[in-house]
Amino acid sequence: MQKMVVNGGVKLEGEVVTGGAKNAALPILFSTLLADGEHVFHNVPDLMDIKSTRDLLESFGCETSFTDNTLKVVVRPLKTFVADYDLVRKMRASIVCLGPLLARHKQAKVSLPGGCAIGSRPINFHLNAMEQLGATCEVTSGYVVAKTEGLKGTQIIFDMPSVGATQNVLMAAVLAEGTTIIENAAKEPEIVDLANYLVKMGAKVKGAGTSIITVVGVESLSAAEHRIIPDRIEAGTLLIAGAITRGSVTVKKCNPKDLEALISKMRDCGFSIETGDDFISVNQTKTWRAVDITTAPHPGFPTDLQAQFMALMLEAEGSSIISETIFENRFMHVQELLRLNADISKKAKVCVVRGKQGQLTGAPVMATDLRASACLILAGLVAKGETNVNRIYHLDRGYEKLENKLTKLGASIKRI
Ligand code: UD1
């Protein structure tokens, strides 16, 4: 099993380029099921989750090819509407194939994704919404078996904004008869990117990026070409890498508007941050104040950057209160950070992080989920001595060659 060996204490300097957004690419790749033909996507990150998505699309009968971050999907009449357990269990986001399969083929059998390290992650919003659109969804033998005579547009009000459920409903509604209004919709940039691709295919979608999305169903869609938006979580992670090492790093080809919550908190800490249309720079800051964060749906502070921000707070002056409101068990990194000599108390969904410059010391640690892996690497970049981050396969699900990007900035990190 591979691990990452990080030697702390090197100030990162230079420029680094952001890759395409995993969480935008995944639903967009599943949206190809809505139209036959050749779909072409640029700026697709080369990640395990993309491989898992291709495997699932191929299991339905699609052809895929991937070169230099351009991914082509050729969709022909499908040979099955079953998303098998062995493929779905590798990636929870597979559940968003339900909407497009139902919309276009009136049937789907999708394995229940199950829980994961960060929480139970139910799919009740997805299933309730499909039923409201006129499908029946039964859960039998670990599979969601869904059928419809034809989806019909309706009003759907989510209890809370769910990224995946909003994507699933969007993809179902574009081919439904009549108008669907999604209220309390998720507003993440990845939703907007999906809507933009659906519109390129011929869909009628308005309001993506706000809490009310209106979709007027059309008869059919056609394959199109699209460039995936930059990955705001990767960009944020690289920015924190520059900050935590007291370096000067410019993260290029990103969208600073998608990272306003992080940038504003980092400025509150006292970091000198500059932004342009497509870059963010952090300039060498020796000491910074602790600030509190509470994760929230976009445009609030992203849960996907909570672990990385916690690493930054370990080197701050003072105590930071970090509250996680999205997932019930997203503090798995705390136990591992304690191994690096961090001073953190945790109670339910709140952590108190007592920062102190130079307190971290290297140790062997274990990555428990994707963003926790990034947090441990960030902590390793400032810890004295060597940090070995085990179970690095979590990192490969969501970061494209992170160690190469960090090495280019001067970090001492290698995969073994
Ligand atoms: C997506 C992201 C993930 C991010 C999360 C929150 C992808 C592939 N993943 O996950 O990286 O951390 O958004 O920004 O884009 N919920 C229910 N019932 C449901 C659906 C969700 O109770 O049917 C709850 C979840 O348990 C969670 C909250 O809603 O507490 C938000 O989850 P959701 O936005 O759906 O997250 P994902 O789409 O799974």
Side-chain angles (χ1 to χ4, degrees):
M1 209 179 284
Q2 293 188 337
K3 65 178 178 179
M4 211 68 96
V5 179
V6 190
N7 270 289
V10 184
K11 207 183 265 186
L12 301 194
E13 304 279 348
E15 296 181 343
V16 62
V17 173
T18 318
K22 166 181 92 75
N23 287 354
L26 301 180
I28 288 176
L29 289 174
F30 286 118
S31 78
T32 61
L33 295 168
L34 291 163
D36 284 356
E38 187 182 68
H39 303 250
V40 181
F41 304 108
H42 305 285
N43 203 32
V44 177
D46 190 357
L47 302 169
M48 271 318 292
D49 275 8
I50 298 293
K51 169 84 174 68
S52 303
T53 307
R54 289 178 63 194
D55 288 346
L56 190 51
L57 289 172
E58 286 176 6
S59 78
F60 293 137
C62 306
E63 265 173 43
T64 73
S65 63
F66 194 21
T67 347
D68 295 336
N69 298 104
T70 292
L71 178 44
K72 293 183 183 167
V73 183
V74 178
V75 182
R76 298 203 186 90
L78 302 188
K79 60 181 193 209
T80 174
F81 308 111
V82 180
D84 198 68
Y85 171 72
D86 276 338
L87 295 168
V88 174
R89 75 184 166 83
K90 292 187 186 151
M91 193 187 64
R92 290 187 46 82
S94 311
I95 188 65
V96 297
C97 68
L98 181 65
L101 286 176
L102 262 181
R104 182 136 185 260
H105 302 287
K106 299 188 167 60
Q107 56 176 309
K109 185 175 170 188
V110 182
S111 170
L112 281 172
C116 71
I118 64 174
S120 62
R121 301 182 85 174
I123 55 162
N124 53 325
F125 299 162
H126 302 242
L127 302 190
N128 292 346
M130 293 306 149
E131 291 195 330
Q132 284 173 273
L133 285 165
T136 55
C137 298
E138 267 177 42
V139 178
T140 33
S141 311
Y143 280 80
V144 177
V145 182
K147 288 191 192 107
T148 179
E149 307 259 290
L151 298 178
K152 290 204 169 52
T154 187
Q155 181 191 35
I156 288 166
I157 307 175
F158 284 122
D159 290 352
M160 63 185 285
S162 155
V163 174
T166 303
Q167 291 164 340
N168 235 341
V169 171
L170 250 177
M171 290 192 272
V174 287
L175 289 180
E177 190 189 319
T179 301
T180 301
I181 298 170
I182 311 171
E183 293 193 35
N184 204 15
K187 296 183 277 194
E188 271 67 2
E190 294 76 20
I191 302 279
V192 179
D193 207 31
L194 170 64
N196 286 343
Y197 186 61
L198 293 171
V199 168
K200 280 185 185 170
M201 283 202 285
K204 293 190 178 155
V205 181
K206 289 228 164 79
T210 75
S211 56
I212 301 181
I213 305 178
T214 306
V215 185
V216 179
V218 295
E219 289 272 303
S220 65
L221 299 170
S222 12
E225 189 166 351
H226 186 68
R227 187 174 175 82
I228 303 294
I229 55 166
D231 195 313
R232 62 194 167 103
I233 306 303
E234 187 201 21
T237 304
L238 292 166
L239 192 71
I240 294 175
I244 201 170
T245 61
R246 297 168 176 81
S248 296
V249 166
T250 299
V251 182
K252 292 169 68 180
K253 293 200 179 164
C254 62
N255 190 353
K257 285 202 172 63
D258 293 344
L259 274 167
E260 275 170 359
L262 173 70
I263 293 169
S264 146
K265 284 291 175 186
M266 287 180 70
R267 284 189 171 135
D268 288 351
C269 290
F271 286 102
S272 150
I273 294 190
E274 206 187 314
T275 60
D277 283 347
D278 65 349
F279 75 87
I280 315 172
S281 299
V282 58
N283 300 309
Q284 191 183 351
T285 308
K286 287 202 174 116
T287 57
W288 54 93
R289 288 181 291 279
V291 301
D292 301 340
I293 58 159
T294 300
T295 61
H298 192 76
F301 194 95
T303 175
D304 285 353
L305 281 171
Q306 176 257 107
Q308 300 88 317
F309 196 81
M310 185 182 287
L312 187 63
M313 290 302 95
L314 290 170
E315 285 281 305
E317 284 177 352
S319 293
S320 161
I321 298 172
I322 298 191
S323 310
E324 171 60 54
T325 70
I326 308 290
F327 292 110
E328 69 269 23
N329 193 21
R330 208 172 198 179
F331 282 136
M332 307 275 285
H333 41 284
V334 169
Q335 271 313 107
E336 300 304 304
L337 289 173
L338 295 180
R339 297 180 53 75
L340 298 177
N341 203 33
D343 187 354
I344 307 170
S345 331
K346 172 169 98 72
K347 199 160 194 192
K349 290 179 168 186
V350 178
C351 281
V352 177
V353 181
R354 283 171 286 272
K356 190 171 163 223
Q357 195 172 334
Q359 71 174 318
L360 299 178
T361 49
V365 288
M366 199 169 71
T368 48
D369 65 72
L370 167 54
R371 306 304 169 188
S373 327
C375 154
L376 296 172
I377 287 176
L378 291 172
L381 289 174
V382 277
K384 285 184 206 91
E386 189 176 283
T387 299
N388 285 262
V389 184
N390 294 288
R391 296 209 184 162
I392 214 65
Y393 54 84
H394 289 292
L395 191 80
D396 297 333
R397 281 193 39 230
Y399 288 92
E400 185 175 355
K401 303 185 192 97
L402 184 65
E403 72 273 28
N404 293 2
K405 293 192 179 185
L406 292 173
T407 304
K408 214 180 136 234
L409 295 171
S412 167
I413 176 168
K414 62 175 187 276
R415 185 185 287 259
I416 292 183

